[in-house]
Structures are given as C-alpha cells and as structure tokens.
Amino acid sequence: MKSFPNFLLSLCLFYGCQSPRPDPVIVPAAIDAIIGQDFFAFKKDALIVYENGLKDAALLLGQYTNRPTAPKNNPTQPESAVVFAIDNALSGEHYKLDIDKTGVSIKSGSVNGALRAVQTMRLLLPEEFETPQSDKGSAALPFISIADAPAFSYRGMHLDVSRHFFPVAFVKKYIDLMALLKFNVFHWHLTDDQGWRIEIDGFSKLNSVGSFRDETLVGHYNDAPAKYDGKPYGGYYSKDDISEVVEFARARGIEVIPEIDIPGHSSAILAAYPEFSCKDHSDKVATTWGIFDAILCPKPETFEFLDAIFDEILPLFPSKYVHIGGDEAVKTRWLQCPNCQALIKQNALKNEYELQAYFVQKVADMLDSKGKSIIGWDEILEGGLSDKATIMSWRGVEGGVAAAKAGMDAIMTPTSYCYFDYYQSEKESEPLAIGGFLPLQKVYEFNPIPEGLNENESAHILGGQGNVWTEYLDTPQAVEYMAFPRMIALSEALWSGSKRKDFKNFVNRLERFKKRLDALAVNYANHLYEIKGVFNDSTSEPSYSLFTSLEGQCIRFTTDGSTPTAKSLEFKKPIPIRQNTTIKALVFQEEIPVSDLFEQKIQTHLGFGKTVIVSPNPHSSYSSGGPKALVNGIEGSNKRFGDSEWLGFWGDDVSISLDLGEETDVQTLSTRFFNSNGQWVYAPKTISVQADGQAPVVMTIQRENTLVTVRVPIHAKTRFLKIEVVGFGMIPDHLQGGGHPAWTFIDELIIE
Ligand code: ACM
Ligand code: ZN
C-alpha cells in the first residue's frame, strides 16, 4: 500500500484532492469510532482488493467511487488502497474499518458486514462524490478506527406503492438511501384496495383491471363532501422491474420482503376476480382511502388462486419472508356468507376472528411448503395463531409484546413512533398528511424493546421499521419529504440502539449531513431551525419559552404583533404571560432570518395557569403537554391531534378537576375534541361539568366535523369545576379500528 505523507496534503492542487474537512458525519453513529489527525489520499486510480466472499462489497465501493477492483493476491495487481478481508471473529453485520497511512482496511466475517462498511466509507468521502457530475477525483480520507455492529438485526423501511405508484428509478433511489443509513430490509407493500402492483401472468386481470382505478380522492379523507380528480390512475411493476429492484437491493445487503395484503385490503383483487369474494358482491378498485368490506372468501378456489399467485411471485424474491398483510380485515361479509359460516361450524371455530386465523394458517402452511415464513400485521394474532408467523406490531406495541411472550418473533412499527405519513411539524403550511404528529425527536427516541419483557422475550423483538403509507404522497418528492429526516433518526435508533448519542448531538450531525442529502437530491423536510415553544407553569407566574432543535441559535421575538427584526429582543429567559399575547419569533444568523416565522397566540381566561388534575393520565404516546396543556391558553393544532396541546386517552373516560384558586364567577366552559375516525379518534359521547354545590350540566356531543367545539353553560360562583368526559367506546366492526376502543383527544378548557 502507498502511504501519503501529511505535508503533501497541503499540496492539494498538485494532487487535485479536496482540502481536509472537519470530522466526518457518521449517521447512524458508529458504536466505536476514533478519528485521527491525518489523512490518507484516496487517489483516482486507487485499487480496491477483496478476499473471497467479499467481492460484492468491493464492487459496490468501486461503483460509488469509480475505482477499479480486483481479487486479493492477483499477481499483477498494483499496490492497493482498500483491502476487504475476512475476519471470522466478526459475525453478521459486524465490521471493522481502519484508515491509516497504509490505506483502508475493512474486516468482516460476512459480505453483509463489509457492505455496511462500504456505506461508512461513503460517509467519509466528500459529499460531492454523491453527485452524478462528480469526477470522483482524489479524496482525503480521515485516519479513523471504527468497530461497528447493529443493535437490531431487522432494520426496515416500508413503502406503499398501491395508494400511489412510484417508478423503478425512485424505488432504487429509496433503497440506496436506505443502504446509506444501514437499513437492511425493504418492505414493499405491493397490493391494496387502490391497486395491485405486480405483474401476474396466470391471472392477468389482476393487472388489466386490478392495477388501475377510475380516479382518486382529492383533499383529505375526512373532507365533506368528498371530491375526486376524474383521472384514471394506475400501473404495475413487470417481473423484470421487480428483479431489477431485488438485485439492486441485494447488491447493497438489503432483503426485499414483498407484501401481498390478504384477506382484507383486497378490493383490487376482487374487482378483477369477484369469484374469490363471498357471493354476490361486486367491488371496484378503490378510489378513496380508508378500509373496505372487500375480503377474500376462504373457499378452496381462493386458496388455489393464492397458491398460483405465490408460485409466480416467490421466484422473484429470495427473501426468507413473505408479508401476507392480515390487517384491517372487515368481517361483515364473512358474517353473512353461508360458505364462511359453514367453515366456522365444520372447523369448530368460535367466530370470524378464528376464521381469519384459519385463513392465515392455511396461507402460512402453503408458504411453509414453498420454503417461506410469513410476516403479518398484528391482527393475525387475533383468533390464535401458530408460532410460524412473525408479527409486525403497528397498532401499538401490544401485539409485539404478546408475540414475544408466546415465543414468536416480532418487528415493532407502532404508529406513534414509526408512521412517517404523520405530520412532522406543527406548522400549518405543511403538505396535507393523514393526521397525527410524529416529530423527529420522538422517532429518535424510539426503542423497539418495550418495558416488561425479560431477556428471552426481548430476543424475539427482531427490530423496528418505518412505514411510508402514500395516500397523501403522490410523487417521489412527497415521499422523500415525509421520510427524511425521520428515517435518519430511525436508522440511529435501530443501528446504534442504546449506544446512540443524545438528540442534540444527532441534530448537530444532521445539520451537517444535509449537505450529503443535497448532493443526493433528496427533498428532505428541514425543520431544524423551526422554533418551538413551551408553556411553563413552574415559574413564579405563567411564562413561555422558545427553543430550536439546533443548539446555540439566536431567537428574536416580539409580543406586539410585529414581525421580529435583527433589533428585536433576543430570547434569553422565559417570557411572562399576563394577558392575551401573540409571540412572534425568528432565528437570526448574522442579522439574517434563517427560520420560518413562529407565531403563537396565548389567550388568557379564568382557568389560565390554574391547577388541573386529570384522571386517568393521558396515554403515554399523547401526553407530552401534560395536564397543564388544558389550561395554558394555547389551542391544539387544527390538523395534528398528536401535538403537545391535545391530550389523548385510549378508551378511558376522563375525569378532570380544575381548581380556580378562589371562588370565581363562571359563565361557560368551552373546549374542543378531535374527531378523525380513520385514525380511530372519535369525539366523546358526552361532557358534563359540575360547579360547587350545583348539579352537573351534561351535554351530548354532535360528531360531524374533524374539530368538535362544545360550550357548556355554567352560570355559577365556584372555586372548583369537575369535568367528566364519556368516550365513544368501542369502534364498530365495519369501521377502521373496528373492535378497538376509540381515542379521545381533548383541547384547552376555556373558562369564561
Ligand atoms: C396498517 O397500517 N394498516 C398496517
Ligand atoms: Zn365467504
């Protein structure tokens, strides 16, 4: 190997190399990394050599860097700059990467370890290498010593290509970005009510009929009346497309798991082949979102159909797993179908849930006989199931916990941490999304291992996955906006695990990583300079504080309604709130505003900043504002029930006690409830409010809009108000979330 003395580095012009850069940005953070002072010159003609078994890793690095590769010990090879060597002491994806004056040494026990090292190498190279126009000239690689391995063996990203369809070129870009972040599973959601997206020869109507819909909903699913665009929409991947993607992923050490979502989410299948439905139903490829009654009837011809479909699909996917969906299967038709009811009797099943288990078991056996294991959404646990399945826990972590306790494997993808179709910012100007609120920090804090599992049970939690459902994402750019940067935060939660850095450290690296995302032409969301506020009731009087995710920023603010300038007050200490106040703020760098305008109205009222007790506690996923969020003068977002101003309760009735501090003349209590039924959120049945010595005033709640405002007349002198909220209860079976308790979300309690 050739060494490259330090003094020559200053002669960069001579060598055409980059000037030495600050510490490299490594995401996900390596478990152990020691960075040296010096640099190795990775010259344009540098040779990459590899030992037996590591050729794919060398080829990939060769491809990223435009440098030649050769097997090690090829007698004609010149001195090498990079050596991929087998080290049998390193298992799985474990790798060691050392750069010193002799060059780059990569050691691993398997090609997958070497492939992860290639991605770390990529992070050590200048960002410019990522651009198509780069000549990938000589580059200075920092001396470094890394020993690295993942916390979790399953690190997945999902993409829904049914609701919207994305070209192969984009799917490959997505997979390459996954590889960069050391994800190792691509979950390809290929079928759903809104379109079947994989070529099938034996049942060609799946494509000619099932891959196309007449039109698509415009706006949000909750908007009334619904509007449609009137434009036919569709497409599917040919078998060659699929093979191209699978090979592209394989070359990066990424397994592709196809999902064929059955027995529900099957409108597109049944539009093409109504004969696999319970009798007399006709379905069309869905043009709107949500869930549908369409469900496969578990009759012999349906299983023959599935057998034939899998025989066509499986040769395309070397993965050990096939995802068979199983989520949100509405049982209404099974209840009414003589065939289904006869099957329930014949097999001594208790109900339609056990019939779903029967269906899934038959598919699991079918796939087992073809050498595959199944993954299913956590609904497949309902009605009992064999230990052959791996559970993907999405409706919370409970499904994964139940699976692990039963000795089954599980992958954690709870909506509250892993659904990247949820809003990521509280800004009203964000692109339309399904709802919810999942900010970057919450993703970063995700731990796939829930509390309460012992060591053996925890070993069944294989890892986690980010899900990108695309109802509201109709272009690659829209997908990138929702996936980035949250997918980067998730990569660190899954790769670095308990050894991850703190969020501030992550954000500071992310700020510098943006340059690489720019080079890769990723349309990421950029909320790092976004100003956030927090209400304080621990100070001597109610006050409000401002901050950004990035440390050390200069935030200037006003309270007189004007837009802040470089001369406005800098935020240094909490702002006292004594009357109705509008705080406006901007981040300034050298007198130039670099953030969007932050604006927060605070409306004081008789309950403002008073003592409030809530029972039971809000659900841990939706409690960030704490009880004080009910009386801090700040309304929740009109679109994001997951923000810190809404408090969420899952299935519980809620009792609230408000102490006004002294006897007060109260006329009304007003509040708002969120009502977004597609996400299982329902305005409650009733609210009652009781003043001291008075009978409670009970109001029944009308549930018409997404935001439901109630105004309860009180007209009493009282110190205490006792508020009881009776939730919606169980969601009916035929609706999304059927059979589960509804969520209740409560906003500010305004006392006047
Ligand atoms: C799902 O989000 N229906 C798995
Ligand atoms: Zn049936």
Side-chain angles (χ1 to χ4, degrees), residues 149-194:
F152 292 97
S153 64
Y154 185 111
R155 304 177 308 280
M157 279 299 301
H158 149 287
L159 183 65
D160 165 16
V161 296
S162 174
R163 277 50 179 268
H164 284 100
F165 181 61
F166 303 97
V168 167
F170 174 67
V171 177
K172 286 162 69 177
K173 180 180 180 188
Y174 189 80
I175 288 172
D176 189 52
L177 291 165
M178 285 176 53
L180 178 64
L181 298 169
K182 300 189 174 73
F183 284 95
N184 64 349
V185 180
F186 175 51
H187 170 176
W188 207 355
H189 185 79
L190 285 164
T191 75
D192 215 303
D193 296 294
Q194 293 81 2

Side-chain angles (χ1 to χ4, degrees), residues 158 163 189 192 259 261 265 291 323 327-328 377-379 392 394-395 413 415 419 421 467 469 736:
H158 149 287
R163 277 50 179 268
H189 185 79
D192 215 303
E259 180 181 353
D261 199 350
H265 284 291
I291 59 167
H323 199 307
D327 57 322
E328 301 177 312
W377 298 110
D378 58 55
E379 284 94 332
M392 194 166 265
W394 71 281
R395 295 177 295 177
T413 178
T415 53
Y419 269 45
D421 55 339
N467 290 345
W469 301 101
Q736 235 162 336

Side-chain angles (χ1 to χ4, degrees), residues 157 225 255 268 299 323 340 370 419 451 475 479-480 516:
M157 279 299 301
E255 182 172 341
K299 50 194 170 190
H323 199 307
C340 289
K370 300 178 196 296
Y419 269 45
E451 276 171 25
T475 62
V479 170
E480 289 174 9
R516 192 167 295 275

Side-chain angles (χ1 to χ4, degrees), residues 32-71:
D32 226 327
I34 300 164
I35 300 167
Q37 295 296 319
D38 225 329
F39 292 84
F40 170 74
F42 187 46
K43 291 199 274 173
K44 200 169 160 62
D45 59 354
L47 183 69
I48 300 164
V49 302
Y50 55 88
E51 288 185 353
N52 251 348
L54 302 179
K55 181 176 178 182
D56 285 342
L59 288 182
L60 187 65
L61 184 62
Q63 215 175 308
Y64 284 134
T65 59
N66 237 346
R67 275 138 173 93
T69 60

